[in-house]
Amino acid sequence: MVSTAAVRATRTRALVINALFIGLTYVATVFINIKLPIMGNGGLIHLGNVPLFIAAFVFGRKTGAVAGAFGMGLYDLLSPWTIWAPFTFVIVGAMGYVAGLISEKVPGNKVLVNTLAVVTALVIKIVGYYFAEVILYHNWIQPFGSIPGNFLQVVVAGIIVVPLVARIKQRLI
């Protein structure tokens, strides 16, 4: 039987880890971002996906979802991109959840599994933001201009995170 103190400690640990990754995702999005000067909205390049993927691969799908949804959603809410906040909350939350789910559940070489998770998150981001832009701008062509930025964001984060995750997990054990 698990004691009440152990349950509280586990919940407190989860709360602290989630809060940490919300903050890391927010900070990485705020301080390292460049707006691309291309067609339409153009997109934004930032490193907020790095802590999002670390959260998802090391601590699981729920932490990945929370870090993405709240960390990047908060960035949008407090920036000139406010109109994007509801879309970001759903899209990036789904990215974190699905990436973490794949990392947890798919057997095999973790580098390949996490690469698959990044590719899946990439598809979620591109498709999600494409349709968000269609909704916001009532245009089916303009959203194509945001795809390069979204692609670059996720690919760079994957290149940074996938090789590091095994080392991070080893240090936590």
Side-chain angles (χ1 to χ4, degrees):
M1 181 173 214
V2 178
S3 72
T4 306
V7 170
R8 276 194 213 124
T10 301
R11 286 183 183 162
T12 301
R13 181 179 186 270
L15 180 65
V16 169
I17 289 169
N18 285 336
L20 173 70
F21 278 99
I22 290 169
L24 288 171
T25 302
Y26 173 76
V27 167
T29 306
V30 167
F31 290 110
I32 309 164
N33 76 54
I34 302 164
K35 184 177 183 330
L36 294 178
I38 55 180
M39 178 177 96
N41 184 41
L44 194 66
I45 301 281
H46 60 73
L47 290 181
N49 292 299
V50 171
L52 163 93
F53 287 138
I54 292 171
F57 297 157
V58 175
F59 296 102
R61 59 186 175 229
K62 290 179 185 175
T63 302
V66 167
F70 288 98
M72 284 193 213
L74 184 62
Y75 168 77
D76 282 353
L77 203 57
L78 300 176
S79 74
W81 303 89
T82 304
I83 195 167
W84 291 91
F87 299 104
T88 295
F89 187 87
V90 173
I91 295 164
V92 183
M95 285 173 55
Y97 187 87
V98 171
L101 180 67
I102 290 169
S103 184
E104 288 173 21
K105 300 291 184 182
V106 174
N109 178 311
K110 279 302 175 185
V111 170
L112 295 177
V113 170
N114 290 339
T115 301
L116 172 65
V118 169
V119 170
T120 305
L122 173 64
V123 171
I124 291 168
K125 183 167 214 135
I126 288 174
V127 171
Y129 278 111
Y130 176 85
F131 285 107
E133 222 170 313
V134 166
I135 290 166
L136 289 173
Y137 300 118
H138 309 288
N139 185 316
W140 291 90
I141 304 301
Q142 180 180 343
F144 286 109
S146 297
I147 292 173
N150 290 332
F151 179 85
L152 199 55
Q153 265 182 48
V154 176
V155 169
V156 167
I159 289 169
I160 293 169
V161 172
V162 170
L164 294 178
V165 170
R167 287 184 179 160
I168 292 170
K169 281 186 168 186
Q170 282 178 338
R171 294 202 182 244
L172 290 175
I173 294 174

